[in-house]
Amino acid sequence: MALKLYGRANRWTRSFLVESALRLGLPERATHRILDDVCSGVREAIGDVGAIGFDEKATRRLAKFLETRCEDLS
């Protein structure tokens, strides 16, 4: 089950999140700053996903997924 935000359960883009935040009353600059901070933290932690204990293939896929999502949200 995925969390839906304004009818979307996935493929959240940066522009979609900024628009959604505006609709919720959050300032645009704050939303951009939050997205940048979250993506920065995720990128710093990508090298540690191996500590989760998945096999090598799953670990590579997770790292790639996280990097791709950060690119989409940057």
Side-chain angles (χ1 to χ4, degrees):
M1 179 181 285
L3 174 68
K4 287 188 178 185
L5 181 63
Y6 294 110
R8 277 192 180 176
N10 58 21
R11 294 193 207 128
W12 293 358
T13 62
R14 185 179 186 96
S15 62
F16 172 75
L17 289 173
V18 170
E19 179 184 322
S20 298
L22 284 170
R23 291 171 72 177
L24 292 169
L26 297 170
E28 184 174 347
R29 283 183 54 206
T31 305
H32 284 288
R33 188 171 45 249
I34 290 166
L35 288 171
D36 291 342
D37 288 350
V38 168
C39 287
S40 175
V42 169
R43 284 186 174 119
E44 289 176 14
I46 285 176
D48 296 331
V49 296
I52 295 172
F54 295 143
D55 61 42
E56 286 186 40
K57 182 179 178 181
T59 299
R60 282 193 311 271
R61 288 182 65 207
L62 176 59
K64 178 65 177 162
F65 171 77
L66 292 171
E67 185 58 42
T68 299
R69 290 303 294 141
C70 284
E71 289 172 9
D72 293 344
L73 296 174
S74 294

